[in-house]
Amino acid sequence: MGTWGTGPLDSDTAADFVGALCGLTPQQTVRVLEDTLQQAARPGALVDAVAGAEAGAAAAVMAAALPGSDVLIDPEDAPEQPLPRLPDPLYPLAVQALHHVLSDQSARGRGRGGRSGGRQAAAKVVSPLRARAASGTGGRGAQWRETRQPGPAATAHGR
């Protein structure tokens, strides 16, 4: 697996996950996101590097789609179509999955993604998801914004 940073989309696995969302129906997209997050959020389960990277990518794509989110995804790395309206329970599940991915029960939590850069990137992704879970307001699909800004801290994907 090629990894070039600590952000949630900074690996080949994450890029492949986002690419797999392309061409799916809205229902299929929701199902893939839900299955991915459930796999990573299972209490007591060990989360391998692939499952952790996929859960991080799922959460980042969801967070970037929220109105007013500071999580930006380069349009070249984003799904081809905006996310459909996502069910309310998916947001707290994404928060739970990210916490589990960064725990000691995860290869990512024990390795590269668990270091300060990975934790900072995860905190940036968790914040809008947690706010959305608490508010109960719907999040419509995002129009991916251009993110060519100085410094990798400005984006969720800082290649």
Side-chain angles (χ1 to χ4, degrees):
M1 170 173 81
T3 302
W4 49 86
T6 58
L9 298 178
D10 291 343
S11 72
D12 289 336
T13 300
D16 290 346
F17 174 82
V18 173
L21 296 176
C22 298
L24 298 180
T25 67
Q27 297 83 1
Q28 290 170 324
T29 300
V30 169
R31 188 67 181 164
V32 167
L33 292 171
E34 182 178 26
D35 289 349
T36 299
L37 295 170
Q38 283 179 343
Q39 179 182 0
R42 283 192 320 253
L46 294 176
V47 180
D48 67 20
V50 171
E54 290 176 347
V61 168
M62 289 173 58
L66 291 170
S69 173
D70 288 338
V71 177
L72 302 177
I73 296 177
D74 188 316
E76 292 178 14
D77 301 322
E80 290 176 357
Q81 65 273 2
L83 290 181
R85 181 172 172 83
L86 300 174
D88 290 342
L90 217 50
Y91 295 95
L93 179 61
V95 171
Q96 181 182 359
L98 278 180
H99 283 296
H100 197 178
V101 164
L102 292 173
S103 76
D104 288 338
Q105 290 185 311
S106 161
R108 193 167 177 93
R110 291 187 307 271
R112 176 185 188 105
R115 295 188 182 142
S116 65
R119 291 194 187 280
Q120 288 172 351
K124 186 173 184 173
V125 170
V126 165
S127 182
L129 294 171
R130 184 178 288 130
R132 167 57 182 82
S135 74
T137 58
R140 185 69 177 105
Q143 296 300 319
W144 305 110
R145 299 165 281 178
E146 182 60 44
T147 61
R148 304 272 186 223
Q149 300 172 8
T155 66
H157 183 89
R159 262 196 248 193

